[in-house]
Amino acid sequence: TYLKVGLTGFDLEAAAKRAPVNVAIVIDKSGSMAGDKIKHAKEAAKQALDRLGPGDMVSVIAFSDKVEVIAPASSLSEREAVKSAIDRITANGSTALFAGVSKGSEELRKNKQANQVNRIVLLSDGIANVGPSSPQDLGRLGTALSKEGITVTTLGLGLDYNEDLMTQLALHSDGNHAFIKDSAELANIFQREFGDILSVVAQRISVKIHCAGGIRPVRVLGREADIRGQDVSLAMNQIYAKQEKYIMLEVEIPEGAADTDAPVAEVQLAYRNAISKADETVVSKSVARRVADASLVAESTNKAVLVDVAKLIGTEKELIDRGIVRKEGGTAFFFGRGKTLVPARQLDLAAFSVKSKSKDLDVELPRPDKEYQVVSRQSLAFTDAAVNKDPLVKGSFHIADPS
């Protein structure tokens, strides 16, 4: 049995006064960024500044083997001066990514306030090679920043950046991650990201689920949560206007007499309203009806929830069964990289796609330079993987017509 707890950000009215923004733009200016990459990065950053208002705070940091504060944290009363400072960035040196993000967080802290949206936007095209540089190091940094209410968005440019490192940093700080193949796309990506930043409607979100007596919480699918006895708790940094997030909790409900109600859980959602600045709480209860008629059970089944559950469980089980990941206690997983297992705090099932060979004959892979493992509950006899005698595919993936 599964309990789905849905959260939807309320609509942000045009006349509403949005939450003020405190943002640090952190740009990789190592040697590999020379040419069009650094040119487009600077233009995108300057255009993004035009989305911000006089009550917002901004800082700009550039890093190679050393970190430079291009524009210290300040209001945008001197917008053109900040743009001129961005224009002076030149590309050279190595990649001290950890230090660049850390300096960005220092600038945020100078003017950090409770009611702000605090965000680091990181752009890099390479592999961190100065200072702490493992996915675990950056994941821990993301976790620490999240506890301060700071979210990190990571933008990976080109085909050479460390995807694992950038993803871990974003994942553990409740931020976004995007792969940008062509630097000419940077302006649109920056605009989209700043659109998210400017539409935050709830912050410091705390979800507590108290299961009724006799109901045993088993696990939360696809998210990290703390389960102690009858209580389940987890946190999120923010939610945007109209954004939908959900928590899928597996529970065990004991048998009981037919035609009786079984209280399942009480859910308490606490958050800071980013528009009104008020702390708000929502409480809801879930009750299940016990029936002896199997047809009534079938009729009342929420098929949309079952689809979500099937994707989460099926994908997780398949990945574990095939040795692509290995579960290590609670919610820790290890990702397979050849003969090496790389640790990850949380298996992000959203990173995997379900494909049907009756519908999808050609699958374009997200990163043309990366090898991908094919995961299927069906035979791979009609696929490129079977032809190559290897479940690893690269570039694109063809599925022959099964008819």
Side-chain angles (χ1 to χ4, degrees):
T1 303
Y2 297 89
L3 174 67
K4 181 178 180 178
V5 179
L7 291 75
T8 303
F10 58 83
D11 194 6
L12 185 60
E13 297 179 4
K17 185 178 180 180
R18 63 169 174 80
V21 168
N22 181 22
V23 61
I25 301 173
V26 180
I27 300 173
D28 180 351
K29 64 162 190 167
S30 59
S32 60
M33 286 285 292
D36 284 344
K37 288 182 181 179
I38 197 68
K39 173 186 174 182
H40 288 138
K42 292 191 291 186
E43 288 303 316
K46 289 190 295 181
Q47 289 178 28
L49 293 182
D50 291 332
R51 296 288 300 272
L52 302 178
D56 298 320
M57 305 297 297
V58 67
S59 55
V60 181
I61 293 89
F63 67 91
S64 52
D65 48 315
K66 296 181 180 179
V67 180
E68 181 182 359
V69 178
I70 302 299
S74 63
S75 66
L76 277 176
S77 56
E78 299 294 333
R79 193 186 306 264
E80 295 307 313
V82 175
K83 289 183 178 182
S84 296
I86 292 174
D87 279 332
R88 291 192 290 272
I89 297 175
T90 57
N92 60 77
S94 301
T95 312
L97 193 149
F98 189 103
V101 175
S102 297
K103 180 59 72 173
S105 66
E106 289 179 17
E107 290 299 313
L108 288 184
R109 292 187 192 103
K110 290 180 179 179
N111 297 283
K112 185 171 173 288
Q113 298 177 17
N115 296 322
Q116 288 175 323
V117 176
N118 300 291
R119 180 74 61 96
I120 295 173
V121 179
L122 167 67
L123 171 67
S124 177
D125 77 328
I127 298 174
N129 50 26
V130 176
S133 54
S134 72
Q136 296 75 37
D137 290 332
L138 273 294
R140 284 190 287 269
L141 176 60
T143 298
L145 293 175
S146 178
K147 291 178 180 178
E148 295 184 59
I150 296 174
T151 298
V152 185
T153 286
T154 57
L155 307 177
L157 176 60
L159 302 179
D160 298 323
Y161 79 96
N162 189 324
E163 184 177 19
D164 293 332
L165 185 150
M166 299 279 272
T167 301
Q168 288 295 305
L169 178 56
L171 175 65
H172 291 294
S173 65
D174 200 23
N176 300 324
H177 170 69
F179 160 61
I180 306 164
K181 183 178 180 180
D182 188 339
S183 63
E185 302 170 16
L186 274 172
N188 288 335
I189 298 295
F190 262 73
Q191 290 296 317
R192 186 177 68 190
E193 176 60 26
F194 273 71
D196 283 348
I197 294 172
L198 299 176
S199 67
V200 171
V201 295
Q203 298 172 285
R204 289 183 275 171
I205 301 165
S206 170
V207 181
K208 295 183 179 180
I209 305 171
H210 177 69
C211 293
I215 307 296
R216 187 175 80 88
V218 178
R219 59 173 175 162
V220 172
L221 302 180
R223 288 187 180 276
E224 190 169 351
D226 182 31
I227 299 179
R228 298 188 182 186
Q230 301 297 106
D231 297 315
V232 181
S233 60
L234 66 158
M236 302 176 188
N237 250 1
Q238 71 227 330
I239 191 167
Y240 310 127
K242 298 183 180 180
Q243 183 185 23
E244 296 181 3
K245 292 185 177 182
Y246 68 84
I247 300 153
M248 191 72 74
L249 173 64
E250 182 180 358
V251 296
E252 290 183 355
I253 301 177
E255 294 183 1
D259 298 322
T260 60
D261 290 335
V264 177
E266 178 179 279
V267 179
Q268 183 181 80
L269 170 67
Y271 64 95
R272 168 62 61 90
N273 186 315
I275 308 304
S276 68
K277 312 299 187 294
D279 291 324
E280 300 181 3
T281 302
V282 177
V283 178
S284 181
K285 294 183 180 181
S286 175
V287 177
R289 182 73 173 173
R290 294 189 179 98
V291 296
D293 188 339
S295 64
L296 290 177
V297 174
E299 289 176 8
S300 63
T301 298
N302 189 322
K303 294 181 180 179
V305 172
L306 287 184
V307 169
D308 291 334
V309 169
K311 288 179 180 178
L312 290 168
I313 292 183
T315 304
E316 179 179 307
K317 182 178 184 301
E318 194 75 28
L319 292 169
I320 294 172
D321 288 347
R322 290 180 177 271
I324 299 171
V325 300
R326 186 179 73 216
K327 194 166 185 177
E328 293 285 327
T331 56
F333 289 84
F334 284 73
F335 286 76
R337 300 284 184 192
K339 296 182 179 179
T340 305
L341 290 172
V342 181
R345 263 184 74 188
Q346 176 74 21
L347 175 60
D348 181 12
L349 299 176
F352 299 90
S353 298
V354 178
K355 293 292 181 182
S356 167
K357 68 182 181 183
S358 66
K359 296 179 181 179
D360 300 289
L361 299 182
D362 289 287
V363 180
E364 293 296 326
L365 301 178
R367 291 283 302 271
D369 62 316
K370 291 270 189 177
E371 288 187 326
Y372 289 81
Q373 180 103 33
V374 180
V375 181
S376 175
R377 296 187 183 86
Q378 308 299 324
S379 168
L380 297 178
F382 294 97
T383 69
D384 286 345
V387 173
N388 298 331
K389 306 297 183 184
D390 190 343
L392 293 176
V393 294
K394 187 175 181 179
S396 62
F397 177 57
H398 179 71
I399 305 173
D401 187 341
S403 62

